[in-house]
Amino acid sequence: MEKNELVKTGKNLLEDLVRNDRLEGLPKAAAYAGLVLLELAKLVTNAKQAKK
């Protein structure tokens, strides 16, 4: 359960940074990449659970 809360907090932080245009250039690209990685991890986890 703690991992889930950590993921939610990280996602909220990245979304807040991207949404409010606080970042520019490479840091903004890194924030978007972080969001993509979180979504991919979520998809992989869901696929593994569905497979079981």
Side-chain angles (χ1 to χ4, degrees):
M1 201 65 166
E2 293 173 5
K3 287 183 183 180
N4 195 22
E5 292 298 319
L6 183 61
V7 170
K8 286 181 184 178
T9 302
K11 184 176 179 182
N12 288 340
L13 174 64
L14 289 171
E15 286 176 342
D16 185 47
L17 288 172
V18 170
R19 187 179 316 119
N20 293 327
D21 289 329
R22 293 183 190 165
L23 301 175
E24 293 181 8
L26 189 57
K28 189 168 190 171
Y32 276 115
L35 287 172
V36 168
L37 289 174
L38 284 172
E39 287 300 316
L40 285 174
K42 182 178 168 185
L43 290 173
V44 168
T45 302
N46 289 343
K48 284 183 180 180
Q49 289 176 353
K51 192 174 182 180
K52 289 182 181 180

